[in-house]
Amino acid sequence: MSGNNHIMIVARGVVCGKCRHRLSIPTTNSTEVKCPTCNNMNPIPNYEQFGNKDRSIQKLIVKAKEKISGNNLSSSQKPDSLNKKPSPLSSSSETRPAGKRALLIGVTYKRKHKLKGTINDVKSMRELLILNLGFKEENILVLTEQETEPELIPTKKNILKSLKWLVKGCQAGDSLVFYFSGHGISQPDFEGDERDGFAENICPVDFMTEGMIVDNDINSTIVWPLKKGVTLHAIVDACHSGTVLDLEHVYNRQEKKWDDNSPLSGNARKHPDGGLAISLSACLDNQVAADTTAFTGKTMNGAMTFLLIKIMKKYHGPTYGDLLDLMHEELEKANESRCFAEKIFKKITKNMLLQKPQISASKPFDVYKEHFVL
């Protein structure tokens, strides 16, 4: 057969090499196909020779579609880990260079306890720390139910272990971040050191069987070890999280002053070892926090987390007071929206602002002079 009669491959079909008429490939095992227009016999191409290239093109198309849709996973795949390997937990070193370290925890739970925005919260917070605030991937530990390694699932045991990792070997110059997005619960205080008579707790994924992590344990684990020159910021997007770190001073935004939150029992220790602990909570101890699409219309997020990241990206280091005011203003605007109130805050008084972000600290400071820097 002459060179002029070689066929062309066009979208998994063939074209006659002589008259360019599109041909239909027979379902039989024929090696040639006759052109109905010019009667020229055309060889049927062996697609195996094009298979690798064709499969590569298909993969590129699939990846492009996944990127556009925001879904990079097939039904059988698990999400990529948010931890850089090896896991930060694998390090056995007692000392480390001074710098930035973060623990990010997002818990989705199951069934009636399920939260849909916590993974989005963790991803957004991680991105903020890396791209905007100078944190290194290898110094960020992430616990979610999407992780494949058992030690990275947010169980009670793993969370307590990770809290210890966060402050282990801390030294002057360190900036530590503890972030939690999940359920929070308030319960009666049986140790007699809470001024309001209630203890605040966070819920690990296995809290129904293993119990909650109480504020006293959080305080003793990540506040006590803070040495002089070390700063810890806790950002807790959960219900009843106002004093979840049990810090001794709570900022009163209405009166522009710090309220005493020291334990009633004189024997209870709540302060660090010379360092500074600051907590930014999604709401007061007696309030609930929203997991909502109200601010984006699409993506589910914790309301405080979304607003915090939005403000941090826009203003690049606002003062603590300005940050708190801006979050309150945004929540008030959202709460005035009838759509927001009906969809998110059912069974509430009209125009009532349900969640009021709160700042507490191990020692008071001027919130309108000090900048929120992680």
Side-chain angles (χ1 to χ4, degrees), residues 224-295:
W224 288 15
L226 301 177
K227 295 177 171 57
K228 185 177 181 180
V230 179
T231 301
L232 165 74
H233 283 91
I235 302 168
V236 184
D237 201 337
C239 297
H240 312 291
S241 56
T243 60
V244 73
L245 252 67
D246 258 0
L247 300 178
E248 295 181 293
H249 305 275
V250 176
Y251 185 70
N252 187 322
R253 180 172 171 266
Q254 284 69 39
E255 299 183 17
K256 307 295 183 185
K257 69 181 184 67
W258 290 91
D259 290 337
D260 183 14
N261 189 51
S262 58
L264 294 175
S265 171
N267 297 324
R269 176 186 170 182
K270 300 295 180 181
H271 58 82
D273 188 19
L276 174 63
I278 300 172
S279 177
L280 177 61
S281 304
C283 59
L284 306 184
D285 286 339
N286 62 351
Q287 295 179 326
V288 295
D291 192 31
T292 176
T293 61
F295 298 102

Side-chain angles (χ1 to χ4, degrees), residues 199-212:
E200 286 66 50
N201 316 293
I202 59 174
C203 300
V205 67
D206 56 353
F207 77 97
M208 293 292 288
T209 57
E210 300 301 317
M212 297 164 285

Side-chain angles (χ1 to χ4, degrees), residues 276-328:
L276 174 63
I278 300 172
S279 177
L280 177 61
S281 304
C283 59
L284 306 184
D285 286 339
N286 62 351
Q287 295 179 326
V288 295
D291 192 31
T292 176
T293 61
F295 298 102
T296 65
K298 296 179 181 179
T299 307
M300 187 76 78
N301 294 98
M304 185 199 71
T305 299
F306 178 85
L307 294 177
L308 171 66
I309 293 173
K310 176 184 176 181
I311 293 167
M312 289 295 290
K313 288 183 176 181
K314 183 176 181 179
Y315 293 100
H316 307 291
T319 65
Y320 290 88
D322 288 337
L323 174 63
L324 199 60
D325 290 342
L326 288 167
M327 285 197 292
H328 275 253

